[in-house]
């Protein structure tokens, strides 16, 4: 293991803390970080900017969206933030509706295929923490450590509520729970790479755990396989 490229996949539903955990792990290990959800968010944003409706998507539009995904001009900045066609769009892709739009383009098989190689390209020395829905099942099935995070929809909505209020965004808790459940439904029930734990994934229920506790648990699992 010493000479090979490290790889940890972190999958799970929205609002479960994957992003925070993955970024923390990547920073502490000095590895690269793939935020695969951002690629779906960026694809959806690019569609909206090109005035392509994401409701009632038909066959023809699927191919157009896949072309957009394949040719996305994206740059993740080392200090955080992301450029789409040279413009900073971090705030634009982090809204609830951007997440919802991302999950609409993510059901399209051709879009998932179009983004596959781009995601694999992040697998570079010294290692990669890959965060998403299908990292352990489809994109990096070879990963020696696969984590699947869970937490109840209510707990995830509570966390999301806190984050949004801290950012000065007003939201209603019941609306948030419904949105999270709708997104879960779409992500779990799609036919292409649905949200599901890989057979060899370690599932961690984070409902009662702090981010630090989850981080320590994952690091401990990694150290067990890294010897
Ligand atoms: O992780 P996120 O909330 O940024 O993801 C936004 C949406 O993108 C999510 O609801 C489903 C989709 N997605 C996906 O289908 N596969 C991934 N690997 C990552 C995200």
């Amino acid at each position: 293991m010493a000479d090979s490229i490290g790889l940890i996949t972190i999958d799970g539903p929205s609002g479960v803390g994957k992003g925070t955990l993955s970024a923390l792990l990547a920073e502490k290990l000095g590895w690269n970080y793939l935020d695969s959800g951002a690629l779906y968010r960026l694809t959806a944003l690019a569609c909206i900017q090109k005035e392509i409706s994401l409701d009632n998507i038909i066959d023809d539009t699927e191919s157009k969206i896949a072309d957009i995904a394949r040719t996305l001009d994206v740059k993740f900045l080392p200090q955080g933030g992301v450029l789409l066609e040279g413009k900073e769009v971090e705030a634009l892709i982090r809204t609830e509706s951007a997440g919802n739009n991302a999950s609409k383009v993510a059901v399209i098989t051709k879009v998932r295929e179009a983004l596959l190689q781009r995601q694999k390209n992040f697998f570079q020395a010294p290692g990669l923490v890959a965060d998403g829905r299908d990292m352990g099942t489809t994109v990096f099935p070879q990963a020696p450590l696969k984590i699947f995070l869970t937490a109840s929809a209510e707990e995830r909505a509570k966390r999301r509520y806190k984050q949004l209020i801290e950012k000065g965004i007003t939201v209603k808790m019941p609306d948030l729970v419904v949105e999270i459940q709708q997104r879960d439904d779409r992500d779990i029930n799609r036919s292409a790479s649905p949200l599901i734990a890989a057979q060899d994934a370690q599932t961690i229920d984070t409902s009662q755990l702090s981010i630090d506790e989850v981080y320590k648990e994952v690091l401990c699992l990694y150290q067990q396989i890294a010897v």
Side-chain angles (χ1 to χ4, degrees):
M1 180 92 195
D3 293 331
S4 62
I5 302 174
L7 180 58
I8 301 177
T9 58
I10 313 277
D11 288 303
S14 62
V16 78
K18 298 183 307 288
T20 316
L21 172 67
S22 305
L24 189 62
L25 275 169
E27 190 198 323
K28 300 276 184 184
L29 294 167
W31 289 4
N32 301 296
Y33 169 43
L34 165 61
D35 172 4
S36 62
L39 294 172
Y40 291 94
R41 287 170 184 260
L42 288 158
T43 301
L45 176 63
C47 291
I48 288 163
Q49 288 178 342
K50 292 181 193 328
E51 298 184 355
I52 295 175
S53 166
L54 301 179
D55 293 315
N56 306 318
I57 297 170
I58 48 160
D59 241 22
D60 209 30
T61 319
E62 286 193 356
S63 303
K64 258 196 217 160
I65 300 176
D67 281 344
I68 288 174
R70 195 171 303 107
T71 55
L72 269 188
D73 173 12
V74 171
K75 190 166 193 298
F76 289 98
L77 303 175
Q79 68 274 25
V82 59
L83 305 183
L84 177 62
E85 289 172 3
K87 291 205 185 86
E88 168 60 65
V89 292
E90 177 68 21
L92 274 181
I93 62 161
R94 296 302 167 191
T95 63
E96 286 307 291
S97 68
N100 215 9
N101 288 336
S103 110
K104 290 180 189 168
V105 298
V107 301
I108 306 168
T109 305
K110 286 178 194 160
V111 169
R112 305 198 73 83
E113 287 166 359
L115 291 176
L116 192 59
Q117 191 54 47
R118 196 187 281 262
Q119 295 174 81
K120 287 180 188 282
N121 292 347
F122 279 76
F123 183 48
Q124 285 179 24
L128 174 69
V129 181
D131 150 7
R133 304 290 186 292
D134 61 343
M135 298 296 100
T137 50
T138 306
V139 184
F140 301 110
Q142 79 277 24
L145 179 58
K146 301 177 184 178
I147 304 294
F148 192 82
L149 300 183
T150 62
S152 67
E154 287 72 19
E155 181 57 36
R156 289 183 281 133
K158 260 194 240 164
R159 292 178 191 169
R160 191 72 190 124
Y161 182 80
K162 200 166 153 254
Q163 279 175 351
L164 292 171
I165 294 295
E166 277 166 9
K167 283 189 199 161
I169 301 169
T170 324
V171 276
K172 292 195 186 115
M173 219 10 216
D175 293 350
L176 218 48
V177 175
V178 170
E179 259 187 51
I180 282 189
Q181 280 166 340
Q182 279 175 348
R183 190 125 76 93
D184 282 0
D185 264 6
R186 205 182 290 123
D187 292 348
I188 291 166
N189 295 316
R190 66 176 178 232
S191 56
S193 298
L195 169 64
I196 188 174
Q199 272 186 349
D200 50 350
Q202 316 255 7
T203 298
I204 302 176
D205 184 341
T206 71
S207 302
Q208 309 296 324
L209 301 176
S210 68
I211 184 68
D212 200 48
E213 287 169 321
V214 182
Y215 165 71
K216 284 187 178 137
E217 194 167 331
V218 174
L219 202 60
C220 186
L221 289 168
Y222 170 68
Q223 280 158 352
Q224 283 168 19
I225 62 155
V227 285

